[in-house]
Amino acid sequence: MKKDFREKLLAKEKFIVTWELIPGRGAWESSQEKVLEQAEKAAKGNIVDAISLTDNPGGSVAIRPDIIGQEIAKFGIETIIHLTCKDKNRNQLESTLYALERAKLNNVLVLTGDYDLETKSGLPKPVFDLDSTQLLQMIQELNQGIVVKKAKGESRFKPCNFCAGAAVSPFKATEAELIMQYSKLKKKIENGAAFIITQVGYDIRKFHELFLYTRQMGWDIPLIGNLYAVNFPTGRVMNNNRVPGCVVTDKLLAELEQERQNPDKGKQAMLDRTAKLYALLKGIGYRGVHLGGYNIEYEQIEYIVGKGEELSA
């Protein structure tokens, strides 16, 4: 019998591969069609365990991930729906969770979210009624079945069935920032996070530090390393701190600039770097990887995983 994503996390038999896709702005645009096309390939390929769908990444407007998630589910592959706090108050977040439960989209990645960017109609007002830790607590309560007291008694709601993940970044510039990340990680785990995905970064020592820290604290929680296949244009944006939480150092940017002088503009070096990180994370003891990258195709995901497994030896 085929295991679902939650069972794979617990079983520890397989190195998990998730793939982040960005549905983008609009309803019937090429970006949505490409996500569906790539997700269908992933479903047939049997390498990717779940498609991760972003929720207005970087503060940009995009279609709701759960709508695309329902279409992807028809291909026979699971999704991880990103759920951010930036645009919704606690009532709307609870409503969204009921909708996800009804649609059987039970894998969610809980994030506080990025401040919105200016749109055609002006600068949106952020909400941030809850943060990611408090949203995880809400999900934990919904999974237990909430009881709402009323004047004439109380209403009991059926338990939900969410597998909620959270994020952490070990790639901080100062000790104070890092301790804050690990302090929040403790709260996220205490509030029911079932898995942890790192932010984007390329320092293997810091990946290892996070693994050692979780084990030192006695947290046997699945760690999934975020491996973004980075090229020079995207690396330059991250290096300029224009993608919140994503770290590309000056040293790495210089390497990317050198690689783009190659005839293939550095594409092969980009894939090989990601495959090497895949192998290193597997060797350290991570439970899986979260793959992403601008305009990455399924065939490139196959290459990264295949090469990564070869290098793991």
Side-chain angles (χ1 to χ4, degrees):
M1 187 182 220
K2 188 177 179 183
K3 285 189 170 78
D4 64 21
F5 181 69
R6 188 190 323 236
E7 288 174 323
K8 289 175 183 176
L9 283 172
L10 296 173
K12 301 182 181 180
E13 295 165 359
K14 180 185 182 296
F15 193 64
I16 290 166
V17 176
T18 63
W19 182 16
E20 183 170 293
L21 293 175
I22 303 173
R25 192 172 191 166
W28 304 103
E29 308 303 322
S30 59
S31 59
Q32 289 90 48
E33 299 312 312
K34 183 170 183 182
V35 163
L36 292 172
E37 174 195 320
Q38 295 299 314
E40 187 171 18
K41 285 184 179 181
K44 291 174 180 175
N46 207 30
I47 284 177
V48 176
D49 296 294
I51 297 292
S52 182
L53 297 168
T54 56
D55 179 12
N56 294 9
S60 302
V61 177
I63 191 170
R64 274 175 26 202
D66 56 302
I67 298 299
I68 300 297
Q70 290 179 67
E71 294 186 52
I72 289 175
K74 295 173 185 175
F75 301 143
I77 188 169
E78 287 193 80
T79 57
I80 300 171
I81 304 298
H82 294 206
L83 184 59
T84 62
C85 303
K86 64 189 179 63
D87 298 321
K88 306 174 187 73
N89 66 20
R90 64 196 68 192
N91 285 356
Q92 186 61 32
L93 285 166
E94 187 176 332
S95 297
T96 300
L97 286 163
Y98 289 141
L100 290 171
E101 171 72 17
R102 182 80 184 182
K104 297 181 179 176
L105 299 173
N106 296 103
N107 303 316
V108 292
L109 179 62
V110 174
L111 305 159
T112 300
D114 306 322
Y115 278 91
D116 287 306
L117 302 176
E118 187 140 6
T119 68
K120 188 174 180 295
S121 56
L123 185 64
K125 183 179 180 180
V127 179
F128 296 113
D129 182 26
L130 303 180
D131 69 7
S132 55
T133 305
Q134 293 163 323
L135 180 52
L136 282 164
Q137 184 179 25
M138 177 190 284
I139 291 170
Q140 193 174 41
E141 290 168 357
L142 292 180
N143 278 347
Q144 293 165 353
I146 62 170
V147 178
V148 178
K149 296 187 182 299
K150 295 184 177 180
K152 297 181 179 180
E154 57 185 29
S155 294
R156 292 182 175 273
F157 292 82
K158 294 178 181 178
C160 294
N161 188 37
F162 289 109
C163 176
V168 67
S169 176
F171 309 106
K172 291 297 182 180
T174 69
E175 183 181 11
E177 290 176 302
L178 183 65
I179 294 302
M180 182 61 74
Q181 282 290 309
Y182 287 169
S183 175
K184 284 190 72 176
L185 176 62
K186 180 176 185 289
K187 291 180 181 179
K188 289 172 183 179
I189 292 170
E190 289 171 347
N191 282 299
F195 61 96
I196 300 295
I197 296 180
T198 69
Q199 257 291 11
V200 173
Y202 300 90
D203 185 339
I204 198 67
R205 185 181 66 82
K206 297 298 288 181
F207 274 118
H208 191 210
E209 176 191 271
L210 174 62
F211 177 82
L212 293 176
Y213 184 73
T214 59
R215 296 309 178 261
Q216 181 178 306
M217 294 295 289
W219 302 330
D220 187 22
I221 189 164
L223 284 180
I224 298 175
N226 197 333
L227 301 186
Y228 190 96
V230 64
N231 56 19
F232 178 75
T234 308
R236 182 169 53 189
V237 171
M238 291 181 181
N239 179 258
N240 288 334
N241 202 27
R242 286 162 53 197
V243 183
C246 299
V247 179
V248 168
T249 61
D250 293 344
K251 180 177 180 290
L252 177 55
L253 186 65
E255 290 178 22
L256 295 173
E257 186 165 24
Q258 184 68 33
E259 289 165 2
R260 74 167 176 158
Q261 309 307 319
N262 298 338
D264 69 347
K265 306 295 184 186
K267 188 173 289 185
Q268 190 60 50
M270 173 187 75
L271 297 175
D272 287 338
R273 175 182 292 104
T274 311
K276 288 174 185 176
L277 284 168
Y278 175 108
L280 286 163
L281 290 182
K282 187 174 184 181
I284 285 170
Y286 274 65
R287 284 287 295 111
V289 291
H290 184 74
L291 297 175
Y294 180 68
N295 277 338
I296 288 288
E297 306 274 343
Y298 175 70
E299 291 74 16
Q300 293 169 309
I301 295 293
E302 281 193 328
Y303 175 85
I304 290 166
V305 173
K307 189 69 173 175
E309 286 295 328
E310 178 189 321
L311 292 170
S312 293

